[in-house]
Amino acid sequence: MNQLHLNRPRAESRSPRASAVQLTSRSCAISHLQNAQAPLFQRADFGDVQKEREPHVYLSKEEVKEKIQSYNSSVTDKLKMTLNANGIYTGFIKVQMELCRPITVQSSQSQGRCAHSNNETAFYLPDGCVNTLHISSTNTVREVIEALLKKFFVADNPAKFALYKRCHKEDQVYTCKLSDREHPLYLRLVAGPRTEMLSFVLREHETGEVMWEAFSIPELQNFLRILDKEENDQLQILKNRYAAYRGKLEEALRGVFKPG
């Protein structure tokens, strides 16, 4: 049976439930909409370069054993790999969460009930949240994504998300979306334990168009609510700016027509 366990986020990352920011919070909603290029639509990540997919090289059991020994000798965080008698190996990968859009989370009490209940909460995941997963060489990208969402009671459709690999080569950063059938632990083994050489990132699908059918009605209503708040906030800023100009003009006029 496939082995797939998720450890809690690292110490520097707060628990998503503890750090949940309600969408009714104006400052959070406006901040995320202003700081991201287009958080509700698509990501403009100009620092990344799409990398050509590398062919999968099948390793013999002896080659896997040698690579695992080499891998474990280079590990500095005790997250080693283990080769089982059946040829399947287990180990750890770290996944960084880079989500621009809010996610919908169900409370533990609402598990098993109908979807989109009143116990669902939408919030932005904290930046830099990293999860450590204990997986096997047979686990696929799709299984890793589903396990991540299930661990944190995320009610969103897994089809909204994609797992990317990020590589550093010749002073450039290459990012490539992994297919659902690829095996992340194999990629980790081949690249070695250094995250500078290879790291995994969970993102929303980067399509040119928004997959509106993948969103629930409450989510779409939340997006509209955020945009309404941003519009009202920008209008207020504009009104305050012109009110300040008007005040300065009136003050100058009083000085010009002051008697004596």
Side-chain angles (χ1 to χ4, degrees), residues 243-260:
Y245 291 158
R246 184 180 296 105
K248 291 179 180 180
L249 287 172
E250 291 175 349
E251 182 179 355
L253 287 172
R254 286 194 295 270
V256 170
F257 294 104
K258 186 175 182 181

Side-chain angles (χ1 to χ4, degrees), residues 92-107:
F92 299 85
I93 64 170
K94 295 180 180 180
V95 179
Q96 183 170 350
M97 317 291 276
E98 291 187 357
L99 305 179
C100 288
R101 294 188 289 266
I103 58 175
T104 304
V105 175
Q106 287 183 325
S107 65

Side-chain angles (χ1 to χ4, degrees), residues 23 29 32-33 36-43 100-102 124 204-205 207 209-212 215 219-220 222-228 230:
L23 288 181
H32 279 275
L33 282 171
Q37 290 292 329
L40 300 183
F41 305 101
Q42 61 183 8
R43 182 195 307 269
C100 288
R101 294 188 289 266
Y124 288 98
E204 295 93 350
H205 270 297
T207 56
E209 298 181 356
V210 181
M211 299 174 60
W212 295 116
F215 292 91
E219 287 176 315
L220 296 174
N222 279 331
F223 294 157
L224 290 174
R225 201 171 294 124
I226 292 174
L227 293 176
D228 286 340
E230 183 185 38

Side-chain angles (χ1 to χ4, degrees), residues 79-95:
L79 301 180
K80 296 184 177 182
M81 293 194 185
T82 302
L83 178 61
N84 301 319
N86 59 3
I88 297 176
Y89 52 96
T90 60
F92 299 85
I93 64 170
K94 295 180 180 180
V95 179

Side-chain angles (χ1 to χ4, degrees), residues 39 43 50 132 141-142 171 183 195:
R43 182 195 307 269
Q50 185 74 14
T132 301
V141 165
R142 179 50 47 187
D171 299 327
H183 299 88
T195 55

Side-chain angles (χ1 to χ4, degrees), residues 26 62 81 102 110 139 142 180 195 205 220 231 242 249 252:
R26 165 184 276 178
E62 190 62 32
M81 293 194 185
S110 64
N139 290 129
R142 179 50 47 187
D180 288 346
T195 55
H205 270 297
L220 296 174
E231 180 182 12
Y242 280 95
L249 287 172

Side-chain angles (χ1 to χ4, degrees), residues 14-210:
R14 296 172 293 172
S15 169
R17 194 176 301 279
S19 58
V21 181
Q22 299 292 337
L23 288 181
T24 52
S25 171
R26 165 184 276 178
S27 59
C28 176
I30 300 304
S31 174
H32 279 275
L33 282 171
Q34 290 176 337
N35 292 338
Q37 290 292 329
L40 300 183
F41 305 101
Q42 61 183 8
R43 182 195 307 269
D45 199 348
F46 300 106
D48 290 347
V49 180
Q50 185 74 14
K51 181 178 173 58
E52 293 294 331
R53 286 185 172 84
E54 299 175 358
H56 186 99
V57 178
Y58 291 94
L59 305 175
S60 66
K61 186 174 181 180
E62 190 62 32
E63 288 174 325
V64 170
K65 182 178 179 180
E66 292 177 0
K67 281 192 171 292
I68 289 178
Q69 290 175 346
S70 175
Y71 182 97
N72 290 341
S73 65
S74 303
V75 167
T76 59
D77 53 9
K78 299 182 180 181
L79 301 180
K80 296 184 177 182
M81 293 194 185
T82 302
L83 178 61
N84 301 319
N86 59 3
I88 297 176
Y89 52 96
T90 60
F92 299 85
I93 64 170
K94 295 180 180 180
V95 179
Q96 183 170 350
M97 317 291 276
E98 291 187 357
L99 305 179
C100 288
R101 294 188 289 266
I103 58 175
T104 304
V105 175
Q106 287 183 325
S107 65
S108 57
Q109 290 82 5
S110 64
Q111 296 300 303
R113 300 179 185 176
C114 59
H116 316 311
S117 67
N118 293 332
N119 291 319
E120 290 184 354
T121 303
F123 66 89
Y124 288 98
L125 201 65
D127 294 334
C129 181
V130 177
N131 292 279
T132 301
L133 291 74
H134 188 217
I135 64 175
S136 80
S137 56
T138 61
N139 290 129
T140 63
V141 165
R142 179 50 47 187
E143 290 174 331
V144 168
I145 293 175
E146 291 175 353
L148 274 171
L149 301 181
K150 183 178 180 181
K151 178 66 177 181
F152 297 106
F153 305 121
V154 177
D156 297 80
N157 189 341
K160 295 181 186 179
F161 306 94
L163 191 66
Y164 291 76
K165 67 176 181 180
R166 179 180 292 160
C167 308
H168 294 257
K169 187 177 180 181
E170 298 177 355
D171 299 327
Q172 282 189 307
V173 178
Y174 298 89
T175 300
C176 176
K177 185 172 72 173
L178 299 175
S179 69
D180 288 346
R181 296 183 179 181
E182 292 192 70
H183 299 88
L185 193 61
Y186 165 81
L187 299 175
R188 180 79 280 163
L189 175 64
V190 172
R194 294 178 55 192
T195 55
E196 301 83 35
M197 299 299 297
L198 172 72
S199 58
F200 296 103
V201 180
L202 183 71
R203 291 178 174 177
E204 295 93 350
H205 270 297
E206 295 182 0
T207 56
E209 298 181 356
V210 181

